[in-house]
């Protein structure tokens, strides 16, 4: 987006978490939720003759947005108004000013979803989220973008349901992926995984498909419905952080006999061997 620089903003004083600093010296943690996944809400305010136009309405909308994203806490209107005043005073601004007010979930412990699922050998549980993956003509998953709000909303649903993660459908109703990983199913020994129409073409997903081909395991990449996953003999998810994690329950339905299946275990072993012996040396 092309913008022209306004010299009046060269020495702008900004407010980050109540700390006033020159725009060139202001800092936000790399673990802040806004940096990690666009996990923030905002309002654009306008100052006229020392007064913010319809501030109460803006703060009410900010609070509604934060509640929808299940933020743990939101500063009071009085606190926010006080910080706006401090910032304006520090800049000597009284009229014709645009104010960008941003509220984030805060600093995360890790870069993963919060709380992260425990990807152990026993397997994980999934529920199906009501939040859909965007169509490619809306937000193309071929762009590995930083807008994770749909994933975050789905993860919130999983947390509330006591599940590890959430399965997400695409705009047509077919299975896309989970909020954080690609998903595979095994039916009568044949491996399947959804088309990457509404999900990224995961790096680990690609490695698993290569390993399956090399091991003589037939695979089909296509459209899969929830019913097909409910009826599958095995389910597992793949991702850079967790590798391969078996799924033992989906929407309260036990997968197979409730333990990791033979194809899952075989591919997990092959992936462990691959990661142990390949990669770019950097340390």
């Amino acid at each position: 987006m092309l913008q022209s620089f306004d010299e009046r903003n060269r020495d702008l004083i900004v407010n980050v978490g109540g700390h006033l600093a020159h725009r060139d010296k202001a800092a936000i943690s790399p673990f802040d939720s806004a940096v990690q996944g666009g996990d923030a809400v905002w309002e654009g305010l306008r100052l006229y003759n020392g007064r913010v136009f319809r501030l109460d309405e803006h703060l009410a909308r900010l609070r509604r947005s934060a509640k929808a994203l299940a933020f743990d806490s939101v500063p009071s209107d009085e606190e926010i108004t006080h910080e706006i005043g401090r910032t304006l005073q520090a800049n000597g601004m009284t009229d014709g000013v645009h104010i960008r007010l941003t509220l984030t979930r805060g600093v995360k412990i890790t870069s993963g979803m919060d709380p992260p699922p425990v990807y152990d050998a026993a397997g994980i549980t999934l529920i199906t989220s009501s939040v859909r993956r965007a169509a490619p003509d809306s937000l193309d998953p071929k762009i590995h973008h930083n807008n994770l709000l749909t994933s975050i909303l789905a993860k919130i649903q999983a947390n509330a349901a006591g599940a590890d993660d959430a399965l997400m459908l695409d705009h047509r109703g077919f299975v896309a992926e989970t909020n954080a990983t690609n998903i595979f199913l095994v039916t009568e020994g044949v491996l399947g995984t959804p088309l990457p129409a509404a999900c990224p073409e995961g790096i680990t997903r690609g490695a698993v498909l290569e390993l399956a081909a090399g091991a003589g395991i037939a695979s089909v990449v296509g459209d899969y419905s929830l019913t097909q996953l409910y009826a599958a003999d095995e389910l597992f998810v793949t991702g850079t952080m967790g590798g391969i994690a078996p799924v033992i329950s989906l929407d309260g339905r036990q997968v197979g006999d409730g333990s990791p299946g033979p194809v899952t275990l075989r591919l997990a072993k092959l992936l462990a061997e691959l990661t142990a012996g390949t990669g770019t040396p950097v340390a």
Side-chain angles (χ1 to χ4, degrees), residues 11 20 22 34 37 44 48 59 62 148 152 179 239 254 265:
D11 292 315
L20 296 173
H22 187 278
Y48 297 94
L59 294 183
L62 183 81
L148 301 182
I152 290 166
N179 56 275
Q254 179 176 289
L265 292 174

Side-chain angles (χ1 to χ4, degrees), residues 39-105:
D39 189 9
V41 296
W42 68 280
E43 291 291 325
L45 312 176
R46 191 72 178 179
L47 185 72
Y48 297 94
N49 194 27
R51 298 174 182 272
V52 176
F53 181 67
R54 299 205 169 179
L55 179 60
D56 291 344
E57 289 86 343
H58 278 288
L59 294 183
R61 184 169 66 179
L62 183 81
R63 198 169 296 279
R64 291 194 300 270
S65 297
K67 184 176 182 180
L69 288 179
F71 281 18
D72 288 335
S73 62
V74 178
S76 68
D77 288 0
E78 292 74 20
E79 290 174 298
I80 295 173
T81 303
H82 174 70
E83 293 301 331
I84 291 172
R86 286 183 64 222
T87 309
L88 291 170
Q89 290 170 14
N91 286 283
M93 295 175 171
T94 58
D95 189 44
V97 176
H98 169 73
I99 303 166
R100 175 68 175 239
L101 175 64
T102 302
L103 176 68
T104 83
R105 193 181 301 273

Side-chain angles (χ1 to χ4, degrees), residues 97-162:
V97 176
H98 169 73
I99 303 166
R100 175 68 175 239
L101 175 64
T102 302
L103 176 68
T104 83
R105 193 181 301 273
V107 177
K108 298 162 62 69
I109 298 173
T110 73
S111 63
M113 289 286 169
D114 185 22
V118 179
Y119 289 160
D120 59 22
I124 63 171
T125 60
L126 301 178
I127 56 99
T128 301
S129 172
S130 62
V131 181
R132 297 291 182 96
R133 278 283 180 240
D137 59 351
S138 176
L139 188 59
D140 196 332
K142 300 299 184 295
I143 304 170
H144 206 241
H145 55 76
N146 202 38
N147 182 350
L148 301 182
L149 283 185
T150 53
S151 295
I152 290 166
L153 287 167
K155 177 62 173 170
I156 289 169
Q157 289 186 335
N159 292 346

Side-chain angles (χ1 to χ4, degrees), residues 113 126-129 131-134 141 144-145 147-148 150-151 154 165-170 174-184 193-202 205 224 226 229 236-239 250:
M113 289 286 169
L126 301 178
I127 56 99
T128 301
S129 172
V131 181
R132 297 291 182 96
R133 278 283 180 240
H144 206 241
H145 55 76
N147 182 350
L148 301 182
T150 53
S151 295
D165 266 348
L167 186 70
M168 301 181 71
L169 308 182
D170 68 16
F174 291 110
V175 174
E177 60 173 346
T178 78
N179 56 275
T181 53
N182 292 114
I183 190 157
F184 285 80
T193 194
L195 286 163
C199 66
E201 296 180 275
R205 170 186 178 275
Y224 291 94
L226 263 177
L229 267 66
F236 62 87
V237 296
T238 63
L250 171 59

Side-chain angles (χ1 to χ4, degrees), residues 233-269:
D233 300 319
E234 303 175 44
L235 294 177
F236 62 87
V237 296
T238 63
T240 300
M241 298 301 292
I244 289 178
V247 177
I248 57 174
S249 174
L250 171 59
D251 291 335
R253 296 163 173 82
Q254 179 176 289
V255 178
D257 64 2
S259 61
V263 176
T264 302
L265 292 174
R266 185 180 180 191
L267 288 170
K269 181 176 182 295

